[in-house]
Amino acid sequence: MPPDPATPRPLPITPAVSGVLETLSFLRDPDFARSRFESYGDVYGTTLLGQRTVFIRGEQAIHDLFAQGDAVEGWWPDSVRKLLGPLSLANRNGADHKARRRVVGQLFAASALKRYSPAIVALVDALNEELLADPSPLALVPKLRRFAFSVIASTVLGLDSVDREVLFVDFETWCQGLFSLPFALPGSPYARALQARQRLLRGLGAVLEKAQSAAATGVPLAAGGLDLLAGGLDEAGLPLSDADVTEQLLLLLFAGYETTASSLSCLLLSLLQHPAELAWLQQELDGLPWPPEPGEALTAYDSSRAPRLDAVVKEVMRLAPPVGGFFRRTREPIVLADVLVPADQVVQVSITASHRYGRGNEDLEVFRPQRHLAGGTNATLLPFGGGERVCLGKALAELEIRLLAVGLLKQLTLALEPDQDLTLRIIPSPSPKDGLLVRACRR
């Protein structure tokens, strides 16, 4: 039931007027939201580029938001909205959103993940060999980004290496513009991203046409799961246009790539910075098989068989979630944690701040995966968002992270190079600034 609005408190508001400086701080300062929560409480309002925005954190406020789902709708900043496109399910609400989510969701069902697993295992082994082949210091982040893109582009879309490389270059450019200032000045990240978007749509359109031709002739695709989308049927059984499906594929690439690449980088960074926890995890990994038995990749390293790995992944996601927050817009006044939020306000759920905020004396600033084996944590954990708009690529990302962690850490020893900047770059997703320089050798 929604909270009782009988005696809500007024919304605390920062003194920001135009919101220009607030926006710059929001894009650059990883401590932006938390510092303001300390001053204004768990629900407060500010202005970002003229848009009244309400930031929330903590279990009560987030629970209240999900409990009033009919009073809110999805929302994204202008840069994200325009780069994803007007047809994307991320920019749709209600029945339109549910229809397209059902179409794209086929690619992340358990049956589809089982279909992709052998190829993901092969890509892990290929990455291991690539790392071992170079005795000099190498940057892990670019290799992990290419690995994550290869998973979504080859195992899901069935792209060959040539098509994959063309899309990868444009997709990196597109990602860099997602959370930039939405001004298409020549040479700006946003302008370059808009140009990359057009090339990506043309490339994805050609991929879809190939899948449709194969489906029409009854010839199965050589690889990938795109045949699941070739018909493009919505939940009412009506066909979606090619342009509609192509925009869903663009979102699919983002859902299965950017956030996963970030999580892989942060996982290895955290373990290499905490050798005691790495040794603790490897005790468990030593008792697990690699590769997984045929047909068992989905469960071979789940929480029941690899509880320490599950705890490490949760702790990495808690301290460095792949997205810092998600947005909703209020269609009518709502009450969040006893604070009245007016209609037509953008609500930003601050995932990063919520993950480091809880009740009692638990030290939520410390990397301690064991906390998740000892009755969990009192922080609210939402690394992939929540509610009916939870990240579509969540299941694929979790599978990919588990497979890479086991396949890599069982076979390789990675040593951090000294004198590098391990600070996390936040936009579009957390990633070590110097690329995570390591030396690899066989374990």
Side-chain angles (χ1 to χ4, degrees):
M1 293 294 292
D4 181 5
T7 56
R9 295 180 287 115
L11 177 68
I13 298 176
T14 74
V17 179
S18 69
V20 173
L21 295 179
E22 281 284 271
T23 302
L24 292 175
S25 181
F26 173 70
L27 293 173
R28 297 172 180 174
D29 181 7
D31 203 42
F32 171 89
R34 186 165 52 156
S35 63
R36 288 157 178 78
F37 283 129
E38 297 304 318
S39 298
Y40 298 101
D42 293 347
V43 180
Y44 74 87
T46 189
T47 300
L48 299 179
L49 283 184
Q51 172 64 59
R52 299 301 301 174
T53 305
V54 177
F55 284 77
I56 69 172
R57 73 171 179 183
E59 180 180 4
Q60 187 61 57
I62 295 172
H63 174 271
D64 291 345
L65 181 71
F66 289 160
Q68 300 172 88
D70 291 342
V72 299
E73 60 186 12
W75 185 90
W76 289 101
D78 281 349
S79 58
V80 179
R81 187 162 59 248
K82 291 176 181 177
L83 287 172
L84 286 174
L87 302 178
S88 174
L89 71 86
N91 290 326
R92 292 177 178 265
N93 290 286
D96 283 348
H97 174 263
K98 291 179 181 178
R100 283 149 185 83
R101 187 177 181 90
R102 180 178 178 274
V103 171
V104 180
Q106 297 174 88
L107 293 175
F108 299 110
S111 58
L113 297 181
K114 185 175 181 179
R115 181 174 170 179
Y116 310 148
S117 296
I120 300 176
V121 170
L123 287 169
V124 172
D125 285 337
L127 177 61
N128 279 345
E129 294 305 315
E130 182 182 352
L131 296 178
L132 287 171
D134 190 349
S136 61
L138 49 85
L140 264 184
V141 169
K143 294 186 180 297
L144 292 172
R145 292 183 71 82
R146 284 186 178 273
F147 168 82
F149 191 81
S150 294
V151 169
I152 191 70
S154 61
T155 69
V156 180
L157 300 186
L159 300 184
D160 60 31
S161 59
V162 175
D163 288 340
R164 198 164 65 229
E165 184 62 27
V166 171
L167 282 180
F168 178 77
V169 174
D170 280 331
F171 199 74
E172 286 278 72
T173 303
W174 181 83
C175 285
Q176 291 303 315
L178 273 177
F179 292 96
S180 61
L181 294 176
F183 305 127
L185 300 175
S188 68
Y190 183 65
R192 292 197 300 269
L194 285 174
Q195 294 167 352
R197 167 183 154 79
Q198 294 307 312
R199 294 191 295 269
L200 284 168
L201 290 179
R202 288 195 295 270
L204 291 171
V207 171
L208 179 62
E209 184 178 356
K210 180 179 179 180
Q212 290 170 331
S213 297
T217 58
V219 177
L221 294 178
L226 196 58
D227 56 314
L228 297 172
L229 286 190
L233 295 179
D234 71 8
E235 64 182 3
L238 300 174
L240 304 180
S241 69
D242 287 355
D244 199 325
V245 175
T246 301
E247 286 204 359
Q248 311 321 323
L249 292 180
L250 183 59
L251 176 65
L252 164 71
L253 284 178
F254 182 68
Y257 162 62
E258 175 63 38
T259 54
T260 306
S262 169
S263 297
L264 293 172
S265 299
C266 291
L267 174 74
L268 294 177
L269 170 65
S270 298
L271 289 172
L272 292 176
Q273 288 181 312
H274 299 87
E277 281 69 29
L278 174 58
W280 174 77
L281 172 62
Q282 284 181 320
Q283 289 176 352
E284 177 177 87
L285 299 187
D286 287 343
L288 297 173
W290 180 265
E293 293 296 324
E296 293 191 7
L298 292 186
T299 58
Y301 314 123
D302 63 13
S303 59
S304 63
R305 299 188 187 186
R308 293 186 181 184
L309 175 61
D310 182 65
V312 166
V313 172
K314 285 180 178 176
E315 186 71 345
V316 171
M317 293 286 199
R318 185 185 69 79
L319 285 171
V323 292
F326 57 91
F327 300 91
R328 299 289 187 268
R329 184 195 292 274
T330 57
R331 300 168 59 189
E332 57 189 70
I334 60 175
V335 177
L336 304 178
D338 300 322
V339 175
L340 178 63
V341 177
D344 198 30
Q345 301 280 300
V346 169
V347 177
Q348 203 256 24
V349 179
S350 297
I351 294 175
T352 302
S354 294
H355 283 188
R356 295 172 182 244
Y357 174 68
R359 302 176 304 276
N361 298 320
E362 184 180 5
D363 187 352
L364 296 174
E365 297 296 324
V366 175
F367 179 77
R368 187 170 62 83
Q370 294 85 350
R371 76 175 79 241
H372 301 283
L373 299 178
T377 175
N378 59 41
T380 300
L381 297 180
L382 293 168
F384 293 98
E388 64 179 18
R389 304 180 79 98
V390 67
C391 177
L392 269 172
K394 177 178 182 292
L396 176 62
E398 291 175 335
L399 172 63
E400 195 175 331
I401 292 166
R402 292 197 302 268
L403 290 175
L404 182 128
V406 177
L408 192 148
L409 294 174
K410 271 183 69 71
Q411 301 178 84
L412 302 185
T413 294
L414 300 174
L416 277 175
E417 281 293 290
D419 303 322
Q420 60 174 306
D421 188 352
L422 298 176
T423 305
L424 293 180
R425 171 181 53 81
I426 301 301
I427 303 297
S429 294
S431 181
K433 287 185 176 180
D434 278 357
L436 192 55
L437 298 170
V438 302
R439 289 180 186 264
C441 63
R442 196 173 298 278
R443 185 166 176 250

